[in-house]
Amino acid sequence: MIPAEVGMLRVYVRRADRAASRERRSFWQPGTGAKPLYREPILRAKTAGLMNAVAHPAQYGFSDHGPIREDGSELSDPQLTICVELIGRRAQLEQFCRQQGDLLTDKIIVYKPLEQWCVGPAGIT
């Protein structure tokens, strides 16, 4: 077995955070508004060639020393956290962070080294 080291980057954003809209708006065809911020790093991660990118919504918790928040039975809390998880080689993740400063400024970002195991027909290789 030959494990390969990869890393996981977690970026914590609020559900209410919005990405700057790139759409052109006009009086006759107004844009649909800014998209949720958590989608943009995932789209950019795909373009950057990262291995994996997903968003995990929180149901209960706190972030950045703030108050504990939770989803209600009828309404979701826009201040609750969404964890955007990106997986790739460390160098790729570092480059991604440098290039995506417009999205990542003032966000909580956590890096964790991982091992990637490849399972083939003869077992773990």
Side-chain angles (χ1 to χ4, degrees):
M1 177 174 76
I2 303 172
E5 186 173 326
V6 294
M8 175 176 59
L9 196 68
R10 287 187 169 173
V11 180
Y12 296 91
V13 300
R14 294 176 307 138
R15 288 183 187 173
D17 290 344
R18 297 286 179 237
S21 180
R22 295 181 183 175
E23 297 177 354
R24 290 185 60 203
R25 296 177 182 217
S26 72
F27 178 76
W28 302 108
Q29 292 183 323
T32 57
K35 303 269 190 243
L37 178 66
Y38 73 87
R39 292 179 179 208
E40 192 63 25
I42 293 173
L43 295 170
R44 292 183 187 186
K46 181 69 171 171
T47 302
L50 295 181
M51 182 184 308
N52 195 46
V54 295
H56 302 284
Q59 296 175 347
Y60 182 77
F62 69 94
S63 186
D64 202 16
H65 307 286
I68 293 176
R69 309 194 74 96
E70 70 179 301
D71 268 346
S73 60
E74 296 179 17
L75 297 173
S76 64
D77 185 343
Q79 301 305 313
L80 254 171
T81 300
I82 292 181
C83 172
V84 178
E85 184 178 277
L86 309 170
I87 296 178
R89 304 259 183 249
R90 182 181 178 116
Q92 281 182 304
L93 294 170
E94 288 175 355
Q95 182 178 12
F96 184 83
C97 285
R98 282 192 294 276
Q99 293 174 339
Q100 308 308 325
D102 61 318
L103 292 178
L104 304 177
T105 300
D106 298 326
K107 302 297 181 229
I108 295 174
I109 303 171
V110 177
Y111 174 83
K112 182 176 183 175
L114 305 172
E115 281 186 4
Q116 175 189 3
W117 292 5
C118 297
V119 178
I124 298 176
T125 58

